[in-house]
Amino acid sequence: MKEIEVKILNIKEKQIIKKLKKLGAKKVFEGKIIASYFDFEDKSLSKENKIIRLRTKGKLAELTFKKSISKKEAKIAEEYNVITDDYKDMKKILNLLGLKEKIKQTKYRTSFTLDDVHFELDKFDSIPIFLEVEAPNIEKLKEYIKKLGFSMKDTKPWTGKNVLDYYKSKLIK
């Protein structure tokens, strides 16, 4: 399956939620997410622009494989997910396969859906809240970004790590 998404930085949370509700979007999740990213010792996955992520989302755990395809207009990746109710056993399996936890992040997420478009408001402790918009194709992505009052010029074809690195670089200066 393809993941097609962008990030919009420095949003006004209450304003975005109000617009999403007015458009008819439904809240589908709100809570803490803990995400662990895994790789082999030789970093062979990251060298090939691949990631393995295991994260909690409510009482469930989600294992995700992603392979980056493009970062031109939007971040496009090949993505596969498996849901389990046992985070600890899944982590143990990854470790037994030789994968090591390289990064662990905690964030607070509020998720909305409308049609087949997903809107994620992500809050990390150290950076301003941002919006992720994911759609099944570029045209629909652009349509819903416009409905929220933005243009593609307001978006970034970034990963969550890119967002964190961006704000980290601002703090260093």
Side-chain angles (χ1 to χ4, degrees), residues 102-115:
K102 299 296 184 179
I103 299 170
K104 189 170 189 175
Q105 300 171 332
T106 301
K107 66 183 169 186
Y108 188 84
R109 172 173 275 185
T110 306
S111 302
F112 291 85
T113 60
L114 178 58
D115 299 327

Side-chain angles (χ1 to χ4, degrees), residues 53-92:
R53 179 188 66 212
L54 179 61
R55 69 179 175 189
T56 61
K57 191 172 179 183
K59 294 182 181 184
L60 297 176
E62 178 184 54
L63 179 68
T64 301
F65 167 85
K66 291 187 188 188
K67 165 87 171 104
S68 180
I69 296 172
S70 173
K71 282 189 180 180
K72 291 180 183 161
E73 270 188 297
K75 181 187 82 147
I76 301 174
E78 186 178 349
E79 179 182 80
Y80 301 96
N81 298 298
V82 176
I83 305 293
T84 179
D85 61 354
D86 198 327
Y87 178 90
K88 288 180 184 176
D89 277 354
M90 185 56 72
K91 184 175 180 181
K92 182 77 171 169

